[in-house]
Amino acid sequence: MKRLNELSVLEVLEGLKNKKFTSSEVTKACLNKIRETDTKINAFVTVTEELALKQALDADSKIAKDGSKAFDKHKLLGVPYACKDNFCTKGVLTTASSNVIKNFIPPYESTVTQKLIDAGVVLLGKTNMDAFAHGSSTETSDFFTTKNPKDLSRVAGGSSGGSAAAVADNMCSFAIGSETAGSIRIPASWCGVVGLKPTYGRVSRYGVIAMASSTDSPGPITKTVDDAALVLEIISGKDDMDATSSSNKVLDYLNLPVDKTLPKIGIAKSYFVQGMEEGVKDAVLGAIGKLSDSGFKTSDINLMDPKYSIAVYTIIQRSEVSSNLARFDGIRYGFDRSEFGQEAKKRIMLGTYALSAGYYDQYYLKAQKVRTLIIQDFKRAFESCDVIAAPVVPSVALKIGASKDSAMFGELTDQLNEPSALAGLCAITIPCGISNGLPVGIQFMAKQFNEDKLISVAKSLEKLLKD
Amino acid sequence: MLSKEQVLQISKLAKLSLSDAEAEKFRSLLGETIDYVKVLEELDLSQVLPTLQVTSITNAQVSDEPKKSLTKKEVLTNAPNKDESYVKTKAVLNKVSDL
């Protein structure tokens, strides 16, 4: 029988509705787990124990008073979660894992965390990340590296490493992360959990400490696809505070109508890059094979070589980073700019150069033109399929220290996620196998606002892999 | 490869003060990155327009109505140097003749 901290979101909700246990009990189980193992894993920057217990008690009172009706208004009532530390949580320390703002207490709530509060969640704490989200391993956190729960000598991936590790180690029922290009998919894949990167604009960025404003996408990291679907519904929607947020209808992603025809799956051959680990390739192709055997039509599709996306993403992201991090002046909040870590300084420098007089056309403008080609490339691909299947990353979780002193570690690791991120598409990763004892994730990508197709295919695969 | 002067100029624009060792390290790292992105020169971009944002949204506006906002106290919570009503910062103008 599962322990309370091992339950999925839906299992917690079912248990609470049927009075099998209380939110306080689930919350305490999670807090105990954090106490037990987080000294080894380092998923959390801040654990909000007092707040969590108070919120759990409030949830239990609501349930005692209104019974299962309480869940109509508050769809995640009493469910304990962990939040990446780049979401402004009012009154709760928010650091982006950076020494520059290690003392920052936000005076306002991000839209995502406000929506979760309104849904009745319990906040367990804020999770570790690459500082300012600059990385793919959570090694550039100014505080500490988050270890992979499956192998403590390896990284959890990044930049949402803390959130992914917390879910994988059952320290919470679900977590919130964010992705600029790979920062949900990679840690989810390396830790063996589900990660969903919504369409750009599906989820509001208000109150999320910005990295690259033209690709940043907050999203859920969960134990199951159903959990990701429910959390996605809660956090999505138009927000007046985010001019890029979409008024596209938010679907009931958990209860989607059954597809009359199965979505067609395109296999991105160019994403099986040279040097990819055989075990990763086998696991991903094996999963696609299972889908094909169960009736899904699959076909090979051609996509642009990921090498161009690496260059485009490096220029655009670092340029936008240099602009976004200009606000950290140590005057209105935070410490002096000398507190930036090496990775942040490196990215600010490249971005400043790419945007400076005489170089803007050569770098930023050129990158935005190639971005157009990447978007057109996907448009063409989606004429012959509904979702695109691919590996998430060419290897399983790397050993701690692999990223040291690399000029472009983050961008190179993210290569299979950058094209879809630049095009603002949605994507999901679910665990599909093991290689050398470590989790392998498969990703599915779809056109903007086609999260329903992703969820449908991912759910089917999840079921096939269980059976 | 960038020159040391270029690296120092960029650091000035970015308001980052670098040590000599850092400047040399970044000179090499930036050089590597700049070399990498040259791969974009392989592509014919003569007929291509840039994409500045990937939503189809234009002219996103909100109505200009006064709303409840943060109090002065809340705004000043995190300022390292402040008085009751202001964030304090270094002097920008030194003399009346600077005006």
Side-chain angles (χ1 to χ4, degrees):
Chain A
M1 205 177 86
K2 281 189 192 170
R3 292 199 175 135
L4 295 181
N5 58 297
E6 294 170 349
L7 299 176
S8 70
V9 172
L10 292 193
E11 285 168 339
V12 170
L13 288 169
E14 203 240 336
L16 292 173
K17 281 179 194 164
N18 295 316
K19 307 212 173 189
K20 288 189 195 148
F21 43 73
T22 63
S23 170
S24 299
E25 285 171 320
V26 186
T27 300
K28 281 181 187 153
C30 291
L31 289 168
N32 285 338
K33 186 66 159 101
I34 293 169
R35 215 170 285 126
E36 246 175 64
T37 58
D38 204 36
T39 43
K40 283 187 290 201
I41 292 176
N42 292 329
F44 284 86
V45 172
T46 303
V47 178
T48 49
E49 179 158 350
E50 218 178 287
L51 175 65
L53 292 170
K54 179 181 175 302
Q55 289 173 331
L57 268 175
D58 285 347
D60 286 332
S61 311
K62 282 196 174 79
I63 297 167
K65 183 163 165 280
D66 297 328
S68 54
K69 275 216 178 86
F71 295 89
D72 294 341
K73 261 185 155 169
H74 310 286
K75 290 188 177 184
L76 290 170
L77 187 59
V79 181
Y81 90 111
C83 188
K84 188 176 180 181
D85 208 13
N86 59 345
F87 286 78
C88 284
T89 40
K90 185 173 177 176
V92 174
L93 187 67
T94 298
T95 68
S97 289
S98 169
N99 282 327
V100 175
I101 48 168
K102 65 185 173 195
N103 64 344
F104 181 66
I105 311 273
Y108 71 103
E109 195 77 43
S110 75
T111 296
V112 166
T113 51
Q114 184 61 58
K115 281 176 182 272
L116 289 168
I117 289 170
D118 294 342
V121 297
V122 171
L123 176 67
L124 293 164
K126 307 297 291 298
T127 55
N128 196 29
M129 49 188 283
D130 285 294
F132 289 110
H134 299 166
S136 307
S137 63
T138 310
E139 287 173 296
T140 71
S141 162
D142 284 350
F143 306 151
F144 36 75
T145 297
T146 298
K147 317 265 177 75
N148 193 312
K150 312 294 184 190
D151 179 342
L152 298 177
S153 70
R154 293 177 188 263
V155 296
S159 59
S160 309
S163 283
V167 174
D169 201 51
N170 291 306
M171 296 187 210
C172 57
S173 307
F174 76 97
I176 291 292
S178 69
E179 174 162 329
T180 307
S183 290
I184 287 177
R185 286 177 272 179
I186 288 176
S189 162
W190 279 356
C191 290
V193 293
V194 174
L196 198 160
K197 180 221 167 281
T199 304
Y200 177 80
R202 174 76 292 179
V203 180
S204 170
R205 292 176 298 111
Y206 177 69
V208 183
I209 295 170
M211 182 182 168
S213 305
S214 75
T215 74
D216 286 350
S217 304
I221 296 176
T222 58
K223 301 177 192 182
T224 66
V225 177
D226 271 344
D227 284 0
L230 177 56
V231 176
L232 175 65
E233 189 208 329
I234 305 294
I235 63 176
S236 296
K238 175 119 183 75
D239 181 17
D240 281 345
M241 302 302 282
D242 176 357
T244 60
S245 68
S246 171
S247 31
N248 209 285
K249 188 168 188 273
V250 178
L251 303 176
D252 182 356
Y253 295 108
L254 181 57
N255 300 300
L256 293 168
V258 176
D259 275 313
K260 290 206 181 87
T261 46
L262 294 177
K264 285 185 280 185
I265 301 175
I267 306 167
K269 290 316 250 187
S270 59
Y271 281 41
F272 290 84
V273 292
Q274 210 177 25
M276 173 164 286
E277 281 177 20
E278 280 307 308
V280 170
K281 195 172 164 194
D282 291 342
V284 173
L285 289 175
I288 295 171
K290 281 198 153 81
L291 285 166
S292 166
D293 290 343
S294 78
F296 283 88
K297 284 203 168 56
T298 65
S299 60
D300 287 351
I301 55 157
N302 288 317
L303 282 174
M304 266 170 91
D305 191 324
K307 70 177 178 181
Y308 298 114
S309 296
I310 298 170
V312 171
Y313 175 69
T314 300
I315 294 168
I316 292 177
Q317 169 253 129
R318 292 188 184 198
S319 300
E320 294 179 12
V321 158
S322 73
S323 171
N324 281 324
L325 267 54
R327 71 192 59 169
F328 296 101
D329 51 20
I331 297 172
R332 292 159 300 153
Y333 42 76
F335 294 95
D336 185 75
R337 289 173 77 76
S338 60
E339 294 290 331
F340 277 124
Q342 293 296 291
E343 187 66 27
K345 281 186 186 168
K346 196 173 88 191
R347 295 190 185 207
I348 292 168
M349 295 279 288
L350 194 288
T352 305
Y353 175 67
L355 291 173
S356 63
Y359 295 103
Y360 177 86
D361 285 4
Q362 189 177 343
Y363 294 110
Y364 192 72
L365 196 60
K366 182 176 284 184
Q368 295 285 39
K369 287 183 178 183
V370 182
R371 189 176 193 171
T372 303
L373 295 182
I374 293 167
I375 292 168
Q376 288 170 349
D377 192 43
F378 276 114
K379 259 203 182 94
R380 237 185 330 264
F382 283 120
E383 282 165 10
S384 60
C385 64
D386 299 304
V387 304
I388 296 171
V392 178
V393 62
S395 69
V396 290
L398 297 173
K399 287 274 190 191
I400 293 169
S403 67
K404 213 169 180 313
D405 291 331
S406 163
M408 290 170 63
F409 171 80
E411 289 95 344
L412 290 169
T413 311
D414 291 338
Q415 62 178 295
L416 304 182
N417 304 284
E418 283 156 357
S420 48
L422 287 165
L425 306 183
C426 54
I428 192 169
T429 177
I430 73 164
C432 70
I434 302 280
S435 171
N436 291 330
L438 291 159
V440 178
I442 183 173
Q443 67 165 314
F444 299 103
M445 296 169 267
K447 281 193 284 198
Q448 291 187 333
F449 304 108
N450 275 209
E451 283 86 351
D452 53 329
K453 297 216 164 57
L454 292 181
I455 288 166
S456 165
V457 175
K459 259 184 95 159
S460 300
L461 179 60
E462 191 182 48
K463 186 166 188 298
L464 288 167
L465 291 169
K466 237 199 219 161
D467 297 339
Chain B
M1 182 72 143
L2 296 174
S3 69
K4 190 177 174 189
E5 288 68 37
Q6 278 178 301
V7 172
L8 291 173
Q9 172 60 12
I10 295 165
S11 71
K12 231 173 112 190
L13 291 174
K15 295 228 173 349
L16 292 172
S17 48
L18 303 179
S19 66
D20 273 342
E22 272 180 315
E24 190 48 43
K25 187 176 173 191
F26 286 138
R27 199 167 88 90
S28 156
L29 291 173
L30 293 185
E32 232 183 284
T33 309
I34 289 161
D35 279 341
Y36 186 92
V37 302
K38 283 196 167 91
V39 71
L40 296 182
E41 288 163 19
E42 291 173 16
L43 301 167
D44 176 14
L45 302 172
S46 51
Q47 304 299 318
V48 185
L49 290 173
T51 294
L52 297 176
Q53 53 106 351
V54 298
T55 74
S56 49
I57 300 169
T58 53
N59 297 331
Q61 293 174 328
V62 287
S63 56
D64 187 14
E65 283 160 15
K67 280 188 278 243
K68 188 166 182 282
S69 186
L70 298 175
T71 63
K72 240 185 256 177
K73 188 166 177 237
E74 283 174 322
V75 169
L76 294 173
T77 317
N78 294 285
N81 292 305
K82 61 192 170 211
D83 70 10
E84 256 175 58
S85 300
Y86 302 101
V87 175
K88 281 192 193 168
T89 181
K90 284 191 207 152
V92 177
L93 305 170
N94 286 321
K95 305 190 283 290
V96 169
S97 56
D98 285 341
L99 290 166

